[in-house]
Amino acid sequence: MLFRSSQHEVSVSHGDPSRLAMIYIPAASTQIPAQDNGVYPDPINPSKQKWVFRKGDIYIRKVDESVKVEIPEDLLLLPVGGGPEIGLEEASEITQAYIDALKRGLASALPPLLPVSGPEEVGGQSLIQNLLAPKNFLLMGASGSGKSVHLRHLCLAALTQNELPILIPAGRYRGEGLPFLLDYSVGPFCAKGSDSIVKAASICCLRLLLVIDGLNECQGHLEQLVGEVQAFRLRHRPRIVIASQTEIISGEDLALQRVQVTPLTPLQKRFIYCFHAGIIPSTEADFLCQGFSNAYDLGIAGRCHRRENPVATRAELYDRYCREYLPADGATVLMALLRHFAGRMGQEITNFCSRDEFERGAESFLLVQKAPLLLLDQLKSSRLVNITDDSFAFEHDLLLDYFRAAHLSRVLPGFDSIISELAKPRNQPLIAFVLPRYKDPNEVRALLGATSNLDLFNDMLAGRCGELARRA
């Protein structure tokens, strides 16, 4: 059966006797699921009649009126456009299976939200509540500030307000097209692909929520990705939340409201450290975490918790972390392998590579070193890397920086070459891992002259780059 109006048409067909969802169709768009009862003005002429609708009814546009359509309850709405037919029952099964798998995936090893003690602090449950508002957001924060953790909590919370989130790692985008990135993002949770998820969400009256993490990680393809997200927004009307270390796009591009995550308070640092250390939060832990400023550093400091022998610098912390999570009898070879891949990824300005590329390169590396391939299986089961069916990446971009810094220190021919390389903007984050390795005051001062990063100076004043750097 086909309902027609002067400008639009909506197809419905017989199927499972399930109640139809409310669909409201103004002249400005093809199909908009209504979430609640309400009153909408005419989008063409706001001074004309307002259309009143109720959730559960179906309307189509007819001239200047919103006409209620009386149809049997055993009719199912089909998406306008091409593609295979999806009935309401099948759409419900698709969305529910996706939601169940998404909940399991996001909740796995998810740290709790941080406590917030004042309105001036942007984080924790209050931040999640703000991000649930019917707006688009740009979430700003330094690397390791907890943006990704907040986004995972946001996705879980959005499920409770009739939204269907898709968590998208922007760093995986290399110009293949947004459909490819969407398929990659929903793949672990739905075997039918993103197109089925989008159609099923529309039929079930679930608003899509695109949660894009790490926008700064795809700068080489940023303009193309933003353009494709804009086109998707015009077609499907999703809500959008983007996280980025820097404000690399204008908020006007996607009607984004900017939100800045505030630095961690002493209470929050204690909470993160003690959670990962598996100890009861108390002020006794404050001296163990006061030297670290971001959530990732505090997390690995907690996992490496030793009250009798705390680490002093970030470089020492990451050294200990890698030693504890790599097999003792193969740690030297695996550290060299990870430095090798970090160097390659740094040259290509990427934070991931294909699994096939990693496995082939790793096997060749181990054969040259005359090391057993069993070490590769042990590396895959460690915390230090994330290996999926089709990709390889380090656990965090800060861990990638650590291995990149170690790689540069070993392969560059001399100190002057190191200074020249670290002075490049993309290598500035590596200086914090290089500085503690040098004991000559003149070399330390030369390294300091290679940076203009204010965050690094704060780290140095706090002693996280070594005593020589702090005094210099």
Side-chain angles (χ1 to χ4, degrees), residues 352-465:
F352 80 102
C353 66
S354 71
R355 177 165 182 161
D356 181 68
E357 179 185 356
F358 167 73
E359 290 184 338
R360 287 174 180 271
E363 289 171 6
S364 297
F365 184 92
L366 293 177
L367 288 174
V368 170
Q369 302 299 321
K370 298 181 179 180
L373 293 179
L374 177 63
L375 290 179
L376 190 54
D377 292 328
Q378 294 174 319
L379 175 62
K380 291 176 181 177
S381 63
S382 77
R383 294 188 58 98
L384 305 185
V385 297
N386 292 323
I387 301 179
T388 66
D389 289 340
D390 59 3
S391 68
F392 163 87
F394 285 87
E395 180 189 32
H396 196 277
D397 57 358
L398 289 174
L399 191 61
L400 171 59
D401 288 346
Y402 163 78
F403 280 107
R404 284 185 58 213
H407 173 76
L408 289 178
S409 297
R410 284 167 169 77
V411 301
L412 293 176
F415 185 73
D416 290 341
S417 299
I418 292 175
I419 292 292
S420 176
E421 194 66 26
L422 293 177
K424 297 178 180 179
R426 67 186 178 94
N427 290 331
Q428 290 283 292
L430 312 187
I431 298 177
F433 295 108
V434 174
L435 267 173
R437 311 292 190 191
Y438 287 87
K439 307 305 178 185
D440 186 325
N442 293 326
E443 291 179 333
V444 169
R445 281 192 287 270
L447 286 166
L448 295 180
T451 183
S452 57
N453 189 323
L454 293 178
D455 291 335
L456 178 60
F457 284 111
N458 291 331
D459 285 346
M460 287 187 292
L461 290 174
R464 289 186 285 272
C465 297

Side-chain angles (χ1 to χ4, degrees), residues 24-306:
Y24 166 66
I25 307 178
S29 66
T30 306
Q31 176 179 326
I32 298 180
Q35 305 299 327
D36 299 292
N37 300 336
V39 177
Y40 274 28
D42 186 326
I44 295 178
N45 187 349
S47 65
K48 283 190 175 182
Q49 164 194 353
K50 292 183 176 181
W51 303 337
V52 181
F53 59 89
R54 295 181 308 160
K55 186 166 71 172
D57 293 339
I58 289 184
Y59 296 77
I60 58 175
R61 177 163 173 81
K62 183 178 180 182
V63 193
D64 288 329
E65 297 180 317
S66 167
V67 180
K68 180 177 179 181
V69 180
E70 299 291 347
I71 60 176
E73 289 191 353
D74 64 337
L75 294 180
L76 299 178
L77 186 67
L78 293 179
V80 177
E85 176 179 331
I86 298 179
L88 181 59
E89 182 178 16
E90 182 181 359
S92 298
E93 292 175 354
I94 291 173
T95 55
Q96 192 57 55
Y98 173 78
I99 289 171
D100 292 342
L102 186 67
K103 285 180 177 179
R104 291 192 299 270
L106 293 178
S108 176
L110 180 62
L113 288 168
L114 299 177
V116 176
S117 57
E120 71 282 356
E121 298 176 16
V122 179
Q125 187 60 46
S126 61
L127 174 58
I128 299 301
Q129 288 302 121
N130 289 339
L131 296 178
L132 287 172
K135 303 176 184 178
N136 298 331
F137 293 95
L138 174 61
L139 183 64
M140 303 281 297
S143 179
S145 60
K147 299 184 299 298
S148 297
V149 171
H150 279 97
L151 292 185
R152 291 170 66 186
H153 278 283
L154 170 64
C155 288
L156 293 173
L159 293 171
T160 67
Q161 65 171 28
N162 214 36
E163 290 186 316
L164 195 68
I166 300 178
L167 183 57
I168 302 170
R172 293 293 187 271
Y173 186 77
R174 290 296 179 268
E176 307 92 339
L178 185 60
F180 175 88
L181 187 60
L182 290 173
D183 284 341
Y184 177 88
S185 302
V186 305
F189 315 111
C190 176
K192 292 182 175 293
S194 61
D195 186 57
S196 294
I197 289 292
V198 171
K199 290 179 180 179
S202 175
I203 292 170
C204 295
C205 288
L206 297 172
R207 185 178 189 181
L208 290 173
L209 170 61
L210 299 187
V211 181
I212 304 175
D213 193 14
L215 187 67
N216 54 281
E217 296 174 2
C218 69
Q219 293 193 35
H221 306 274
L222 178 64
E223 185 176 348
Q224 181 179 346
L225 177 57
V226 172
E228 292 196 63
V229 172
Q230 286 175 319
F232 186 90
R233 175 174 172 249
L234 291 173
R235 181 178 181 183
H236 299 289
R237 294 291 189 269
R239 200 163 68 83
I240 300 171
V241 177
I242 297 176
S244 178
Q245 293 180 23
T246 55
E247 193 168 6
I248 55 178
I249 61 170
S250 168
E252 297 177 357
D253 292 340
L254 296 166
L256 300 171
Q257 179 175 316
R258 186 178 182 275
V259 178
Q260 180 75 45
V261 178
T262 52
L264 296 173
T265 64
L267 173 64
Q268 291 171 336
K269 290 182 180 182
R270 180 196 313 159
F271 185 85
I272 296 171
Y273 183 97
C274 293
F275 171 79
H276 290 283
I279 60 177
I280 298 174
S282 70
T283 56
E284 295 180 0
D286 288 356
F287 83 98
L288 296 170
C289 56
Q290 63 185 358
F292 306 107
S293 59
N294 67 68
Y296 182 70
D297 284 6
L298 288 161
I300 63 176
R303 296 186 196 111
C304 300
H305 170 67
R306 293 179 190 170

